[in-house]
Amino acid sequence: MSEPFSVRVGVRGYETDVQGHLNQAVYLNYAEHARWSLLQAAGLSQARLGREGVGPVALETTIRYRRELLAGDEVDVTCVFEWGTGKTFRIHQEIRRTDGTVAAEITAVGGIMDLAARRLVPDPGAVFKELTADPSLLGL
């Protein structure tokens, strides 16, 4: 199996809380950044999704915090899509320090919304496969 898609992020001081730890909400920002970076690498932009009348939606997100992150740390944020049947898909992500230490594990359930109908499309994988230049990056 090939390595999952990954993007490097530096923890900035203004993202930390009073204890000096990365603020819990910022983990979600890092995960979202990696997801959009993966879509961009696959050839799909937010603008294109909008023109096509669809958009990804988050339905559920779980974060498991494993180790603290501090200002100045550098992390790699991975992103792997898992496809099944039906209207939803899963995204598995890890936030790892550059020494390999897992700081957080994030699992999300998402879908693709038809923006006019305000309903999930029946086969989100098919939508991504049609709209991306390189669907293999998304596991399709």
Side-chain angles (χ1 to χ4, degrees):
M1 181 176 150
S2 64
E3 290 293 313
F5 180 86
S6 179
V7 62
R8 184 156 290 177
V9 178
V11 177
R12 296 163 289 252
Y14 63 82
E15 296 173 324
T16 60
D17 60 21
V18 70
Q19 292 92 2
H21 304 133
L22 183 65
N23 179 280
Q24 53 89 23
V26 179
Y27 287 83
L28 292 173
N29 290 336
Y30 288 5
E32 185 79 0
H33 174 65
R35 290 192 294 268
W36 281 110
S37 295
L38 174 52
L39 290 176
Q40 190 73 38
L44 185 56
S45 68
Q46 286 176 293
R48 171 92 190 274
L49 285 164
R51 286 192 304 273
E52 297 293 334
V54 294
V57 293
L59 302 170
E60 176 184 312
T61 304
T62 302
I63 304 174
R64 288 184 179 85
Y65 302 98
R66 300 294 188 198
R67 297 287 182 269
E68 67 182 355
L69 292 174
L70 306 171
D73 286 344
E74 285 199 329
V75 295
D76 295 312
V77 186
T78 66
C79 187
V80 175
F81 281 74
E82 178 185 308
W83 303 97
T85 60
K87 296 180 180 184
T88 64
F89 52 88
R90 292 191 172 276
I91 304 171
H92 300 281
Q93 297 182 267
E94 288 185 339
I95 299 177
R96 292 180 172 269
R97 288 193 196 122
T98 55
D99 68 3
T101 303
V102 176
E105 299 166 335
I106 301 166
T107 304
V109 176
I112 300 292
M113 181 180 282
D114 177 319
L115 299 176
R118 307 308 286 177
R119 299 266 184 232
L120 294 178
V121 302
D123 187 352
V127 172
F128 276 138
K129 196 169 192 175
E130 178 184 327
L131 297 179
T132 57
D134 187 355
S136 69
L137 288 175
L138 302 177
L140 295 168

